[in-house]
């Protein structure tokens, strides 16, 4: 459990000492990460500090709801790339990680050591990649980072605008599968109630989920096409005439990794002249190397990688065949 009064006091002190407040959500941003980051930016500003959010995700890879929040938030909050930030960086900036505690999950991993103080506001478990800092405000019993930031806003007497309340509510809704995963006696319900008193409502956040439902059906369609015969890899080859978003392809790959496989690969057309592959691995095979071998525009980490193929002679079927040929030897040598 986080002691919010102490948390607020520590944060307040460090914000007052710092030059600027830099907020980083996790990569592959979602509604909880962006909403909690926006709330944190509002808190930074309350203390008169320049506060901005680092965002380096490929717009195509941002889920619909988070994209809506970002578009809306841009009018009132500064959302900048890492390279833009580096031009404005000072030695006294305070870094706040929202909805994330691991160094390999933020876009500013390479410059983490340059910050004197780093705050973590998160509800995920920690591991050896967790950033080493005394300011870890991590509560796994919280529904979401948005819930934690909302609590912090209440004790900080932040003036919560209806829009900010709406974003935070959407963040909580995402991580609780629209409130279905919240224990009835949970503090989260109390936070939800208090947010609705700030000029938003459960109905107001509906639009953040609508598009996702249609997309859900599309990526589930991809999951249905999975073939599992290739050793322990699940492979999907989408219909060449169907155009998917990169997010849908990634979601299908994520979903398939939940099954008893070592890796999942989803091939789908993302534009008339581009095919995309999304690869996920539990570590036994190096997804990054496979993706690198598939395309000059391919690569990533051993567990999470992607490739883009822009050769117009290729179809999803030809790419799928090449991918299977590439993967089979990888599994033989194990
Ligand atoms: Mn979250």
């Amino acid at each position: 459990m986080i002691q919010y009064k102490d948390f607020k006091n520590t944060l307040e002190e460090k914000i007052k000492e710092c030059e600027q407040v830099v907020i980083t959500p996790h990569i592959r941003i979602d509604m909880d990460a962006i909403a909690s980051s926006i709330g944190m930016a509002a808190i930074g500003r309350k203390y008169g500090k320049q506060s901005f959010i680092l965002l380096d995700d490929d717009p195509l890879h941002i889920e619909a709801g988070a994209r809506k929040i970002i578009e809306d938030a841009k009018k009132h909050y500064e959302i900048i790339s890492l390279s833009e930030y580096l031009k404005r960086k000072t030695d006294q900036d305070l870094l706040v990680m929202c909805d994330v505690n691991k160094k390999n999950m933020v876009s500013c991993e390479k410059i983490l050591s340059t910050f004197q103080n780093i705050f973590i506001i998160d509800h995920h478990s920690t591991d050896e990649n967790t950033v080493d800092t005394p300011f870890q405000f991590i509560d796994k019993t919280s529904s979401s980072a948005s819930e934690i930031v909302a609590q912090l806003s209440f004790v900080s007497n932040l003036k919560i605008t209806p829009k900010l309340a709406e974003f935070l509510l959407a963040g909580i809704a995402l991580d609780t599968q629209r409130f279905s995963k919240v224990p009835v006696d949970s503090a989260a319900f109390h936070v939800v109630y208090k947010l609705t008193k700030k000029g938003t409502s459960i109905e107001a956040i509906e639009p953040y989920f609508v598009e996702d439902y249609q997309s859900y059906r599309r990526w589930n369609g991809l999951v249905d096409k999975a073939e599992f015969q290739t050793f322990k890899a699940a492979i999907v080859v989408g219909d060449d005439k169907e155009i998917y978003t990169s997010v849908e392809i990634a979601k299908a790959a994520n979903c398939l990794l939940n099954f008893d496989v070592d890796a999942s690969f989803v091939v789908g057309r993302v534009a008339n002249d581009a095919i995309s592959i999304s690869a996920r691995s539990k570590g036994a095979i190096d997804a990054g190397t496979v993706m690198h071998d598939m395309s000059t525009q391919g690569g990533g980490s051993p567990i999470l990688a992607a490739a883009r193929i822009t050769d117009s002679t290729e179809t999803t079927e030809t790419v799928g065949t090449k991918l299977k040929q590439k993967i089979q030897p990888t599994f033989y040598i194990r």
Side-chain angles (χ1 to χ4, degrees):
M1 274 293 283
I2 294 171
Q3 298 304 318
Y4 281 99
K5 284 253 163 60
D6 298 343
F7 177 17
K8 178 232 159 202
N9 291 339
T10 315
L11 183 67
E12 182 177 345
E13 185 193 316
K14 295 298 173 194
I15 291 179
K16 283 180 175 165
E17 278 173 24
C18 82
E19 189 68 34
Q20 317 180 91
V21 180
V22 190
I23 301 145
T24 183
H26 57 74
I27 50 174
R28 292 186 300 284
I29 196 161
D30 62 17
M31 284 198 278
D32 185 34
I34 185 65
S36 54
S37 296
I38 294 166
M40 199 45 238
I43 293 172
R45 260 196 217 165
K46 176 186 149 73
Y47 296 111
K49 298 293 164 147
Q50 286 255 35
S51 304
F52 35 77
I53 300 164
L54 295 186
L55 181 68
D56 275 289
D57 286 271
D58 176 346
L60 273 175
H61 282 88
I62 300 176
E63 58 157 352
R67 211 163 52 225
K68 273 201 180 78
I69 294 182
I70 291 164
E71 284 312 311
D72 221 338
K74 268 185 183 163
K75 296 172 207 151
H76 306 283
Y77 298 91
E78 261 197 287
I79 301 179
I80 62 173
S81 68
L82 179 62
S83 59
E84 286 172 298
Y85 168 60
L86 290 175
K87 291 180 205 146
R88 298 161 54 172
K89 191 177 187 323
T90 78
D91 294 339
Q92 272 89 44
D93 291 353
L94 175 71
L95 181 71
V96 184
M97 296 170 64
C98 283
D99 198 30
V100 60
N101 64 64
K102 297 170 185 71
K103 47 179 175 283
N104 54 341
M105 290 283 293
V106 292
S107 62
C108 55
E109 177 178 6
K110 290 207 172 73
I111 56 161
L112 284 174
S113 62
T114 66
F115 291 96
Q116 275 174 357
N117 292 312
I118 299 178
F119 274 70
I120 297 177
I121 300 178
D122 196 16
H123 66 121
H124 295 104
S125 354
T126 53
D127 67 15
E128 69 278 2
N129 287 314
T130 298
V131 172
D132 184 22
T133 165
F135 309 116
Q136 297 190 356
F137 295 93
I138 300 173
D139 184 357
K140 284 197 282 173
T141 70
S142 284
S143 65
S144 52
S146 296
E147 179 192 335
I148 301 174
V149 169
Q151 298 266 33
L152 183 64
S153 307
F154 301 145
V155 293
S156 304
N157 290 318
L158 176 75
K159 192 178 171 331
I160 300 175
T161 62
K163 217 38 184 184
L164 177 57
E166 184 176 304
F167 295 156
L168 292 170
L169 194 60
I172 297 172
L174 178 77
D175 277 15
T176 57
Q177 291 175 17
R178 305 182 75 179
F179 313 112
S180 66
K181 289 265 169 77
V182 189
V184 186
D185 62 348
S186 158
F189 273 125
H190 191 61
V191 170
V192 167
Y193 169 74
K194 283 170 87 169
L195 287 174
T196 62
K197 294 286 146 198
K198 301 287 180 189
T200 188
S201 64
I202 306 286
E203 291 73 40
I205 61 166
E206 293 280 324
Y208 296 108
F209 293 88
V210 172
E211 202 175 332
D212 257 6
Y213 178 68
Q214 289 159 349
S215 179
Y216 176 84
R217 295 179 55 161
R218 288 169 57 78
W219 68 257
N220 269 275
L222 281 171
V223 170
D224 286 344
K225 288 182 194 284
E227 298 171 26
F228 291 91
Q229 81 270 29
T230 314
F231 304 90
K232 291 197 82 181
I235 300 173
V236 173
V237 178
D239 187 332
D240 197 56
K241 291 181 198 71
E242 191 85 39
I243 294 186
Y244 294 94
T245 67
S246 305
V247 178
E248 287 159 357
I249 290 171
K251 281 186 174 171
N254 286 341
C255 174
L256 286 164
L257 200 64
N258 289 322
F259 298 98
D260 185 24
V261 295
D262 283 336
S264 57
F265 299 87
V266 179
V267 179
R269 189 165 279 288
V270 289
N272 286 328
D273 56 359
I275 292 167
S276 178
I277 313 175
S278 196
R280 301 288 182 268
S281 167
K282 288 175 184 157
I285 81 159
D286 185 341
T289 305
V290 176
M291 290 300 99
H292 179 77
D293 289 351
M294 285 301 295
S295 162
T296 49
Q297 300 175 67
S301 80
I303 59 166
L304 188 141
R308 194 175 169 91
I309 292 118
T310 45
D311 176 348
S312 61
T313 63
E314 299 276 15
T315 64
T316 52
E317 287 81 15
T318 59
V319 171
T321 305
K322 280 183 190 160
L323 177 67
K324 287 172 191 170
Q325 285 162 356
K326 192 76 59 191
I327 297 166
Q328 286 189 2
T330 316
F331 276 85
Y332 274 127
I333 54 170
R334 282 179 57 206

